[in-house]
């Protein structure tokens, strides 16, 4: 039968496992999963330079390179778990391990009173996932195919949750614009943010129930290549790999963040651009590589789940938790972002919702998303915003 989403350049079969995997065979499969793994040599090099007090440029560059093979390995471990437990669980695990790093760094920054740093990082993470990651996934996955299909109902549900995330930022902006005094606006927005954060956490919990329990079939269906593949690793080894690799990513990400100030000064780069555009690309490298890899294998449900689930987790879980953490620490962390950033997010979610609501994707749609991200990146580069250091 002729399928529209079949590869135009021929079908490449997935890896097939012969016999029950052991811990030794699992380790061998992980090491040999990609020729790119040879760049893991940069991991100890980056750690050595970071702990030895090297210049910010060296620390930033080496840790940036070291995160790349780790992201690839994290994608392999995620795919193995997805084969054993379904694409939905695999995607959620991938997004969670990636975002735990951001949550920890966000809490640390909040304790130091760096509220704008946290807000910029949150905004940049959402934008990079729904525009950059989805864009490359649609482009590279569809370049050799007429189109690719995924669950329309699941995509529409994700669109609705993205819209709710945007609403949670638009309402505080409108509140600020219509308040009589600045003091009244500040107090009201803070109280509104605390209440909204609790609502968003409840919604996120219900969305997990929807994905993992009541409507799981909608998210697991449609990845036709899965039937030909068997896991190469044990479930225990895959989980252990995820924990260890995510821990290494967290260490390298921490050094990256610490080197930002020195890089901004030496490279004379716009600090807002670094916080909103560059840092999220590096911090979410694991999700980026995984989502694009699965799209190229025509596993679009898993690919979209990783990219969109990561954005939803940032908007519905990480951001509310950071607001509540600020409440606990006595820091005025709120859902009121800069007007410019709020408009950018609204426009981005709007175009993404238009493109994924039909349950199909192609390379041109990927190009549109990448073009949108490029325009936004240039806007943050030239925008005369205040620094985000404090």
């Amino acid at each position: 039968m002729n399928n529209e989403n079949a590869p135009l350049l021929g079908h490449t079969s997935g890896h097939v496992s012969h016999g029950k995997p052991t811990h030794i065979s699992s380790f061998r499969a992980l090491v040999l999963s990609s020729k790119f793994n040879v760049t893991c040599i940069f991991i100890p090099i980056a750690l050595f330079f970071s702990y030895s007090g090297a210049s910010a440029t060296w620390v930033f560059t080496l840790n940036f390179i070291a995160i790349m093979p780790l992201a690839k390995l994290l994608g392999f471990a995620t795919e193995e778990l997805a084969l054993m437990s379904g694409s939905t669980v695999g995607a959620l695990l991938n997004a969670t391990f990636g975002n735990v790093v951001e949550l920890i760094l966000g809490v640390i920054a909040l304790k130091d009173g760096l509220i704008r740093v946290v807000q910029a990082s949150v905004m940049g993470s959402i934008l990079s996932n729904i525009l950059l990651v989805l864009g490359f996934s649609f482009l590279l996955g569809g370049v050799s195919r007429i189109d690719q299909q995924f669950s329309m109902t699941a995509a529409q549900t994700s669109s609705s949750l993205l819209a709710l995330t945007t609403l949670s930022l638009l309402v505080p902006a409108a509140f600020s614009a219509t308040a009589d005094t600045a003091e009244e606006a500040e107090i009201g927005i803070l109280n509104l943010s605390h209440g909204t954060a609790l609502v968003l956490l409840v919604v996120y919990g219900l969305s997990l129930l929807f994905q993992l329990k009541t409507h799981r079939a909608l998210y697991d269906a449609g990845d036709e290549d899965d039937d030909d593949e068997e896991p190469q690793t044990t479930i225990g080894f895959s989980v252990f790999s995820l924990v260890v690799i995510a821990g290494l990513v967290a260490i390298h990400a921490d050094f990256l963040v610490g080197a930002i100030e020195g890089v901004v000064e030496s490279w004379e780069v716009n600090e807002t651009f670094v916080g909103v555009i560059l840092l999220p690309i590096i911090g979410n490298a694991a999700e980026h590589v995984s989502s694009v890899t699965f799209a190229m294998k025509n596993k679009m449900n898993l690919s979209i789940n990783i990219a969109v689930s990561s954005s939803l987790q940032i908007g519905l879980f990480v951001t509310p938790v950071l607001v509540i953490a600020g409440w606990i620490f006595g820091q005025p962390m709120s859902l009121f972002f800069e007007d410019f950033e709020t408009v950018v997010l609204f426009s981005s979610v709007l175009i993404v919702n238009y493109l994924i609501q039909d349950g199909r994707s192609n390379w041109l749609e990927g190009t549109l998303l990448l073009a949108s991200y490029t325009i936004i990146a240039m806007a943050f580069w030239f925008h005369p915003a205040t620094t985000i250091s404090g």
Side-chain angles (χ1 to χ4, degrees), residues 71-84:
K72 187 71 174 177
L73 290 173
L74 197 62
F76 175 80
T78 301
E79 183 178 14
E80 290 296 304
L81 277 178
L83 290 174
M84 291 180 271

Side-chain angles (χ1 to χ4, degrees), residues 324-346:
I324 294 174
W327 192 1
I328 295 173
F329 297 146
Q331 298 288 350
M333 171 67 183
S334 73
L335 295 173
F336 174 52
F337 287 31
E338 295 292 331
D339 293 340
F340 173 68
E341 297 169 4
T342 305
V343 171
V344 165
L345 179 63
F346 174 79

Side-chain angles (χ1 to χ4, degrees), residues 53-387:
S55 67
T57 298
W58 277 107
V59 172
F60 184 91
T61 303
L62 289 173
N63 282 283
F64 177 88
I65 297 174
I67 285 179
M68 295 299 105
L70 289 173
K72 187 71 174 177
L73 290 173
L74 197 62
F76 175 80
T78 301
E79 183 178 14
E80 290 296 304
L81 277 178
L83 290 174
M84 291 180 271
S85 57
S87 62
T88 304
V89 174
L92 286 173
L93 284 172
N94 186 283
T96 300
F97 276 100
N99 290 332
V100 160
V101 176
E102 183 146 6
L103 180 60
I104 294 173
L105 295 177
V107 171
I108 294 173
L110 266 184
K111 291 182 68 175
D112 295 334
L114 304 176
I115 296 174
R116 285 294 297 138
V117 172
V118 176
Q119 290 181 328
S121 178
V122 165
M123 178 65 64
S125 293
I126 296 176
L127 291 175
S128 67
N129 277 302
I130 64 175
L131 295 180
L132 185 66
V133 179
L134 270 186
F136 272 118
S137 297
F138 287 178
L139 175 62
L140 298 180
V143 71
S144 61
R145 299 175 174 90
I146 295 175
D147 68 10
Q148 294 178 285
Q149 300 179 24
F150 46 88
S151 172
M152 185 183 301
T153 303
Q156 291 173 344
T157 302
S158 298
S159 298
S160 301
L161 291 171
L162 280 174
L164 176 62
T165 300
T166 307
L167 177 68
S168 69
L169 302 182
L170 284 174
V171 172
F175 188 101
S176 175
T178 56
D180 292 333
T181 64
E183 182 180 358
E184 184 181 70
E186 183 177 354
I187 297 175
I189 288 174
L190 204 54
N191 292 330
L192 172 63
S193 297
H194 294 159
T196 302
L198 297 176
V199 173
L200 293 179
L201 288 175
V202 172
V203 171
Y204 182 68
L206 294 175
S207 71
L208 290 181
L209 178 65
F210 184 87
Q211 293 182 52
L212 300 176
K213 186 70 175 178
T214 63
H215 291 70
R216 179 170 178 172
L218 295 176
Y219 291 84
D220 283 340
D223 290 326
E224 57 186 27
D225 292 341
D226 283 354
D227 295 336
D228 299 329
E229 298 187 50
E230 296 178 7
Q232 296 186 86
T233 64
T234 64
I235 188 168
F237 182 84
S238 295
V239 173
F240 176 77
S241 300
L242 278 175
V243 173
V244 172
I245 296 170
L248 287 172
V249 171
I251 294 173
H252 288 292
D254 189 29
F255 283 124
L256 273 172
V257 173
I260 285 297
E261 185 176 352
V263 169
V264 168
E265 293 178 357
S266 61
W267 294 2
E268 298 182 355
V269 181
N270 184 316
E271 195 174 31
T272 304
F273 176 85
V274 174
V276 179
I277 301 298
L278 189 56
L279 269 185
I281 293 176
I282 300 168
N284 297 323
E287 297 99 300
H288 294 188
V289 174
S290 299
S291 182
V292 174
T293 300
F294 296 138
M296 295 176 68
K297 294 182 177 182
N298 201 31
K299 299 181 179 182
M300 289 307 294
N301 277 341
L302 182 53
S303 175
I304 291 177
N305 279 347
I306 289 175
V308 177
S309 291
S310 184
S311 295
L312 292 177
Q313 201 170 68
I314 291 290
L316 300 178
F317 179 72
V318 173
T319 304
V321 167
L322 290 174
V323 170
I324 294 174
W327 192 1
I328 295 173
F329 297 146
Q331 298 288 350
M333 171 67 183
S334 73
L335 295 173
F336 174 52
F337 287 31
E338 295 292 331
D339 293 340
F340 173 68
E341 297 169 4
T342 305
V343 171
V344 165
L345 179 63
F346 174 79
S347 304
S348 302
V349 170
L350 188 65
I351 189 172
V352 169
N353 285 351
Y354 275 128
L355 293 181
I356 70 174
Q357 64 183 355
D358 63 348
R360 291 173 177 266
S361 65
N362 54 61
W363 64 265
L364 180 59
E365 292 183 349
T367 303
L368 296 178
L369 291 175
L370 292 175
S372 301
Y373 191 77
T374 302
I375 293 171
I376 291 171
M378 289 191 296
F380 276 108
W381 177 271
F382 294 112
H383 189 256
T386 57
T387 64

